[in-house]
Amino acid sequence: MNPAPRVPRHGLEHPAFSLLEPSVRARLLALDHFPFPHELRELARGVPNAITPWFDFAEQDPAELQEAGGFDRLLQRTRAVPTRAGSFHDLFGALIWLHFPALKTVIHHLQLEGHSSARSPVQNALTHLDESGVLVLSSDEAIFRAITALEWADVFWHKRGELQQTTRFLVFGHGLLDALRDPHPRLMGKALFARVTGEHLALTDSEFRVFVDGALARLLPGFLSEPARLLPLPVLGVPGWSAQQTRSYYDDERYFRSVRQRVSAPSALSTPSAPAWLVLD
């Protein structure tokens, strides 16, 4: 039984959904029903990718999932991503698999290295990226420093013209994409910083996505050692991502916090020798 009649157009209107290939979006919206798991791979037919998707999608069986020992163990065994029918969360998970197959594959393999009974800092960091990650890709390292320093009004308002020229924000976390269908006012993402060149930013959206997918897949295993590598990002402050944006909007410290709060021990990220961002080439 299919619990949702179709994917409503208004559910994909937020600017974050611009990362979807136009052909994928068109096929999705042309369906007269919510896509079944076995239909998902066809949505991305002909889409350029860093690697050829090696996986398909199959309706999730809770008993089978438990018997296999979790999502990644089942995927390893069946080569089919467990997917709940009628679930927007899982639909966006599938779309990220289809748009970033190299990076999702690396995350899958890294998760398999851990033990489900005792999650490691690496596994936790991967889960944060997978669910709530935002790829902040910029040719200007000052952007990373400003976000790290919580200079929200400066980076998002006063210098938004420069920001839009030097930086792209790609929502990678499928849970965050689901939330952006109807975002609540305090919605946060987890930012992964990566420096790119002006030449990379001049690529078409498809070319840029393929480049980022391949480059991050190569570099992520040596970088994402703990959750603190990902910084909280008030995503509705990104220029154009909320209709509420005015200069005073960025003074709301309930959302744009002025003090970074940590609950864990100090990270190696705070030491001068630890890079705070990846360099993609």
Side-chain angles (χ1 to χ4, degrees):
M1 180 177 181
N2 201 9
R6 66 183 303 161
V7 176
R9 183 175 297 274
H10 66 78
L12 301 179
E13 289 177 347
H14 191 277
F17 290 100
S18 64
L19 68 83
L20 299 180
E21 288 284 329
S23 62
V24 174
R25 180 188 177 96
R27 288 169 185 160
L28 183 61
L29 294 176
L31 292 174
D32 62 0
H33 60 277
F34 199 96
F36 291 98
H38 70 268
E39 297 176 303
L40 292 170
R41 181 165 171 155
E42 178 64 15
L43 292 175
R45 174 174 40 84
V47 168
N49 267 320
I51 65 170
T52 301
W54 51 270
F55 48 84
D56 206 335
F57 303 89
E59 186 161 355
Q60 178 176 303
D61 180 329
E64 186 183 29
L65 190 68
Q66 182 176 14
E67 188 275 332
F71 177 95
D72 289 289
R73 302 291 174 190
L74 183 57
L75 173 56
Q76 180 188 39
R77 189 176 77 188
T78 65
R79 300 175 71 86
V81 177
T83 305
R84 293 168 295 182
S87 166
F88 274 100
H89 186 276
D90 286 11
L91 170 62
F92 294 130
L95 293 174
I96 293 298
W97 269 101
L98 292 167
H99 284 77
F100 295 90
L103 183 54
K104 288 286 285 188
T105 296
V106 165
I107 291 173
H108 164 61
H109 289 157
L110 290 172
Q111 291 285 26
L112 285 171
E113 293 177 2
H115 301 282
S116 58
S117 59
R119 294 180 60 82
S120 69
V122 172
Q123 284 182 291
N124 286 331
L126 292 167
T127 299
H128 287 317
L129 179 63
D130 207 31
E131 289 287 342
S132 303
V134 182
L135 310 179
V136 182
L137 305 142
S138 183
S139 59
D140 183 1
E141 295 178 357
I143 298 299
F144 306 145
R145 298 188 189 97
I147 292 175
T148 302
L150 311 178
E151 296 171 354
W152 305 118
D154 190 52
V155 70
F156 282 153
W157 186 259
H158 296 303
K159 297 180 179 176
R160 64 170 43 201
E162 296 96 313
L163 180 70
Q164 291 169 320
Q165 292 296 316
T166 64
T167 308
R168 296 193 194 186
F169 295 83
L170 300 183
V171 174
F172 178 79
H174 59 282
L176 182 56
L177 279 176
D178 190 12
L180 282 166
R181 290 189 299 119
D182 185 19
H184 60 78
R186 302 288 178 259
L187 187 60
M188 300 292 289
K190 293 296 183 74
L192 174 70
F193 298 149
R195 195 190 76 195
V196 295
T197 67
E199 288 76 14
H200 295 143
L201 293 172
L203 296 170
T204 67
D205 289 345
S206 292
E207 291 168 340
F208 186 70
R209 175 183 55 78
V210 172
F211 160 71
V212 168
D213 185 33
L216 283 180
R218 292 192 301 272
L219 298 174
L220 189 73
F223 178 82
L224 196 57
S225 56
E226 61 164 333
R229 289 282 191 172
L230 305 171
L231 295 187
L233 182 72
V235 291
L236 299 183
V238 175
W241 285 27
S242 170
Q244 307 301 315
Q245 292 174 359
T246 62
R247 169 59 188 86
S248 61
Y249 178 72
Y250 296 95
D251 292 332
D252 183 356
E253 292 194 2
R254 293 171 299 173
Y255 190 37
F256 300 99
R257 296 179 181 177
S258 59
V259 176
R260 184 82 73 201
Q261 296 179 343
R262 290 185 56 91
V263 296
S264 59
S267 166
L269 189 60
S270 62
T271 66
S273 60
W277 51 80
L278 290 162
V279 178
L280 306 190
D281 52 23

